Amino acid sequence: MEDIRKSAWLELTEAELKDLDVFSKDYLGFMDKSKTERMAVKEIIKRAEEAGFRPLEDLIKAGEVKAGAKAYAINRNKAVALFVLGSKDLEEGMTIVGSHLDSPRLDLKPVPLFEESHAAYLKTHYYGGIKKYQWTNIPLSLVGVAFKKDGTKVEISIGEKDDDPVFFISELLVHLSADLNQKKAGEVIEGEKLNIMVGSIPLKDEKENPIKKNVLKYLKETYGLEEDDFMVAELNVVPATKARDVGFDRSMIMAYGHDDKVCSFASLKAILEAGENIPEKTLVGLYVDKEEIGSVGATGMTSQFFEDMVLEILEAEGNGNIVSLKRALRNSKVLSADVTLAEDAGYLDATEPMNTAKLGHGVALTKYTGSRGKGGSNDADGEYLSEVRLAFAKENAIWQTGELGKIDQGGGGTIAYILAEYGMSVVDCGTPVVSMHAPLEVISKADLYQTYKAYLAFFKYI
């Protein structure tokens, strides 16, 4: 059967190609500053404030919650919601693009530091779905926050600057891997072996754990931290690599965390542009945490943070009641902005060609996710899909359909089903990704640009 999808590259005008180039360079910078959800929230707020957004609580105190107001609300520095208040009553619903800021990574354990075989290490616990062997033999950064005993917060970022040291997880040399090579891929590296190397110089005149003590000396002198401060720290291990163009034609981008910061960036750019004029319906850019581990916790989509913020707006407008809140949520329409897989020539046996997104063929609309019989999926209705398609057409956004591999191979989910529980119309829509959940992933610049155009069309016409 002939493939009805067309390359997005061949549909772009000269003006769009120039815009795409500028857009892609901006994205590279965003990715380098947004490797964790904390870092991403900081960058989103910076850009939002430059576009005139203010803290929601400030607008409420000033009595300025009205049409055209631009507000943001931060949830524990790891999730954020942007609002552009519309001229219509909030009960008529909102236009929401919701994405997530967390990506698979390694987190330090509460008691991480130890010395063994003439080196010091930090123990980690992996976060989200990873192939553990992919995290060996690559440069790693340590980022996050720690706290001194007096409660002072200390920002940690080691490995992100070009002249910073990096960290490393070793693997058994090939010369001695006869037994290791017989193991299944999921067993080659065990979770408890994902220990990062952090030092090898012993502290002079120390007989017991001299290398560990030298690391502690460095932490004390540099950050004022002691060993037991790790127990209240939140430190993440991420690839110490910068986002880079890929290919002779520079048509692709390699980076850590495309899933799901590519959709977050596109959504951010779209709402900042759409918010330049007062919309009819309230626009929402929603950026949440914990999607990679089930959207749980106080910063995940299952928390009540978002509905609480909507209720705060209703209260400021004089409609702070449960009926108005329920109507506002129920009448909302959502793009669950999350990535899908792009067809990979090396692994065609895992995908079904007619229904797998193609690299460079536009943003992917995914009617359902889940696994084996659509288990755990939001399944968008045809009426809503038609409405979304018509909106995309008005902005000439190039799109395709996609699903997450062959039916019996596995599957996955997004925040879509959680938002749908409020009665919202929801469909998944995001950028196709090669090597999803690997330390480094690849996307097409054309798909990135079309994702932005699709979200902009959604904000403008839904």
Side-chain angles (χ1 to χ4, degrees):
M1 179 179 176
E2 182 181 359
D3 196 335
I4 62 175
R5 288 166 286 202
K6 297 179 180 179
S7 171
W9 289 104
L10 302 179
E11 303 295 318
L12 293 170
T13 66
E14 287 298 320
E16 286 177 321
L17 286 170
K18 290 180 181 178
D19 192 30
L20 177 151
D21 184 58
V22 174
F23 193 88
S24 298
K25 289 177 180 176
D26 191 18
Y27 177 63
L28 291 171
F30 176 85
M31 291 298 282
D32 289 341
K33 297 174 184 175
S34 305
K35 289 187 177 180
T36 67
E37 56 273 21
R38 283 181 179 271
M39 296 168 70
V41 166
K42 186 176 181 179
E43 181 65 15
I44 288 169
I45 295 306
K46 174 179 174 293
R47 289 171 178 249
E49 288 183 336
E50 290 171 353
F53 283 74
R54 296 163 58 195
L56 177 58
E57 60 182 338
D58 289 357
L59 291 175
I60 292 173
K61 290 177 181 178
E64 297 177 4
V65 177
K66 57 186 179 180
K70 300 177 182 178
Y72 66 82
I74 303 173
N75 185 3
R76 291 171 170 81
N77 297 312
K78 297 200 282 188
V80 60
L82 304 184
F83 297 89
V84 181
L85 301 186
S87 57
K88 288 186 175 181
D89 194 308
L90 198 59
E91 284 190 9
E92 295 189 40
M94 297 163 282
T95 302
I96 303 169
V97 178
S99 56
H100 68 92
L101 299 173
D102 58 316
S103 301
R105 61 169 187 262
L106 307 179
D107 293 337
L108 290 198
K109 289 189 174 185
V111 183
L113 183 60
F114 72 99
E115 178 180 335
E116 190 171 324
S117 300
H118 307 288
Y121 299 85
L122 291 172
K123 290 180 174 290
T124 71
H125 191 132
Y126 59 89
Y127 171 96
I130 67 169
K131 294 178 179 177
K132 295 185 287 291
Y133 64 82
Q134 293 180 332
W135 287 77
T136 63
N137 308 318
I138 62 172
L140 298 167
S141 298
L142 183 65
V143 296
V145 294
F147 297 86
K148 299 179 183 180
K149 288 181 174 58
D150 63 1
T152 302
K153 180 189 289 188
V154 180
E155 300 277 351
I156 304 291
S157 179
I158 307 171
E160 289 299 291
K161 296 179 181 177
D162 291 339
D163 59 349
D164 276 354
V166 296
F167 304 99
F168 186 77
I169 299 174
S170 63
E171 187 184 358
L172 186 63
L173 67 165
V174 68
H175 309 72
L176 301 178
S177 294
D179 292 339
L180 191 68
N181 288 339
Q182 303 306 310
K183 291 186 176 182
K184 295 179 180 180
E187 301 171 351
V188 170
I189 299 295
E190 299 169 3
E192 296 298 343
K193 289 186 178 180
L194 291 173
N195 303 315
I196 62 171
M197 301 180 73
V198 297
S200 63
I201 298 176
L203 187 62
K204 190 176 181 180
D205 298 326
E206 289 287 344
K207 294 183 178 180
E208 186 175 349
N209 294 322
I211 299 172
K212 172 183 173 180
K213 288 178 179 176
N214 206 25
V215 170
L216 289 172
K217 179 174 179 288
Y218 166 82
L219 292 173
K220 180 67 174 178
E221 293 175 349
T222 308
Y223 298 104
L225 297 173
E226 299 178 357
E227 184 172 9
D228 56 356
D229 293 333
F230 278 116
M231 293 190 290
V232 294
E234 188 176 313
L235 295 169
N236 314 127
V237 179
V238 296
T241 51
K242 294 191 179 300
R244 300 284 297 274
D245 286 349
V246 174
F248 291 118
D249 54 8
R250 293 180 174 267
S251 62
M252 297 166 284
I253 295 173
M254 175 198 74
Y256 164 70
H258 284 313
D259 180 9
D260 184 36
K261 295 179 189 73
V262 60
C263 296
S264 298
F265 177 79
S267 166
L268 175 63
K269 295 286 281 190
I271 195 170
L272 295 186
E273 182 173 338
E276 291 176 356
N277 300 306
I278 299 176
E280 290 188 355
K281 292 176 66 175
T282 293
L283 309 181
V284 181
L286 193 55
Y287 311 90
V288 298
D289 182 25
K290 297 292 186 287
E291 192 276 343
E292 297 296 358
I293 59 170
S295 295
V296 295
T299 54
M301 193 64 246
T302 56
S303 78
Q304 296 184 29
F305 167 74
F306 176 57
E307 59 192 274
D308 286 349
M309 295 305 101
V310 175
L311 187 56
E312 292 283 357
I313 294 172
L314 287 167
E315 175 68 15
E317 294 176 338
N319 294 313
N321 60 80
I322 190 65
V323 174
S324 292
L325 175 62
K326 290 285 189 180
R327 287 173 179 166
L329 296 172
R330 182 175 66 248
N331 292 327
S332 294
K333 295 180 179 179
V334 186
L335 288 184
S336 172
D338 208 342
V339 300
T340 189
L341 88 156
E343 185 176 78
D344 188 334
Y347 304 96
L348 296 177
D349 55 339
T351 57
E352 189 265 286
M354 290 172 57
N355 289 286
T356 302
K358 316 296 183 186
L359 196 69
H361 285 61
V363 67
L365 204 61
T366 302
K367 184 180 188 298
Y368 50 82
T369 54
S371 61
R372 297 181 177 84
K374 303 182 182 180
S377 170
N378 168 68
D379 198 348
D381 58 79
E383 290 84 353
Y384 184 50
L385 290 171
S386 176
E387 187 177 359
V388 171
R389 177 171 69 169
L390 291 172
F392 287 177
K394 291 179 180 178
E395 204 69 26
N396 295 315
I398 300 169
W399 64 280
Q400 57 182 317
T401 59
E403 62 178 34
L404 203 60
K406 287 183 177 178
I407 295 170
D408 293 331
Q409 277 292 323
T414 66
I415 65 172
Y417 78 97
I418 302 166
L419 291 163
E421 289 179 356
Y422 294 107
M424 301 179 187
S425 295
V426 187
V427 65
D428 283 292
C429 180
T431 313
V433 175
V434 171
S435 294
M436 190 190 303
H437 278 218
L440 295 173
E441 305 165 316
V442 170
I443 62 165
S444 164
K445 291 181 179 179
D447 296 337
L448 164 65
Y449 187 65
Q450 294 304 325
T451 302
Y452 149 73
K453 289 187 67 176
Y455 296 165
L456 181 61
F458 187 77
F459 279 133
K460 290 171 67 174
Y461 302 112
I462 291 293

